[in-house]
């Protein structure tokens, strides 16, 4: 356990929570479903912040370091799970947009007769 995981876990968590809150509020004004990425970012920020906090406990208290290490890894694994699911959703959306643009592009291209 290093002090880097303590600092960067908490710092990155706070930054993600703040910017995720701003994104969620901005998404609400655009459309309610637009708030979902911001909410996901807030949840990810909470898990990173908890990871940094548990790193602090593991460094400070040697007797409880096994419990703190377990909670640290648990929070980090939840972060990775949500981030992985979110990444797969983004990839699926990108693939859908590429397929849609190819289909619509070929349709519009076939409608115009270039002579």
């Amino acid at each position: 356990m290093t002090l880097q995981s303590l600092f960067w876990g908490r710092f990155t968590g706070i930054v993600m929570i703040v910017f995720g809150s701003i994104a969620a509020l901005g998404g609400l004004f655009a459309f309610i479903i637009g708030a979902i990425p911001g909410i996901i970012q807030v949840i990810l920020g909470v898990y990173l912040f908890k990871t940094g906090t548990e790193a602090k406990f593991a460094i400070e208290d040697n007797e409880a370091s096994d419990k703190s290490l377990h909670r640290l890894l648990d929070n980090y694994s939840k972060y990775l799970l949500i981030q992985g699911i979110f990444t797969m959703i983004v990839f699926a959306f990108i693939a859908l947009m590429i397929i849609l643009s190819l289909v619509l592009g070929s349709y519009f291209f076939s409608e115009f007769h270039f002579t």
Side-chain angles (χ1 to χ4, degrees), residues 1-6 51-60 62 65-66 68-70 72-73:
M1 215 58 59
T2 65
L3 292 175
Q4 287 180 343
S5 59
L6 183 158
T51 299
T53 302
E54 291 302 329
K56 177 184 175 187
F57 293 144
I59 290 170
E60 290 177 350
N62 289 333
S65 66
D66 287 341
S68 295
L69 185 60
H70 177 70
L72 182 149
L73 292 174

Side-chain angles (χ1 to χ4, degrees), residues 50-88:
K50 286 181 180 180
T51 299
T53 302
E54 291 302 329
K56 177 184 175 187
F57 293 144
I59 290 170
E60 290 177 350
D61 190 8
N62 289 333
E63 293 176 9
S65 66
D66 287 341
K67 283 185 179 181
S68 295
L69 185 60
H70 177 70
R71 287 190 301 253
L72 182 149
L73 292 174
D74 186 49
N75 287 319
Y76 191 62
S77 66
K78 288 176 185 175
Y79 168 82
L80 291 175
L81 174 69
I82 294 170
Q83 187 68 34
I85 291 170
F86 193 57
T87 302
M88 286 187 282

Side-chain angles (χ1 to χ4, degrees), residues 7-61:
F7 174 76
W8 287 109
R10 292 175 69 169
F11 175 76
T12 308
I14 290 171
V15 170
M16 287 183 76
I17 291 169
V18 169
F19 284 116
S21 300
I22 293 169
L25 288 175
L28 280 177
F29 292 118
F31 194 60
I32 293 183
I33 200 165
I36 292 174
I39 293 169
I40 292 171
Q41 188 174 2
V42 169
I43 293 169
L44 290 172
V46 168
Y47 283 125
L48 274 182
F49 184 79
K50 286 181 180 180
T51 299
T53 302
E54 291 302 329
K56 177 184 175 187
F57 293 144
I59 290 170
E60 290 177 350
D61 190 8

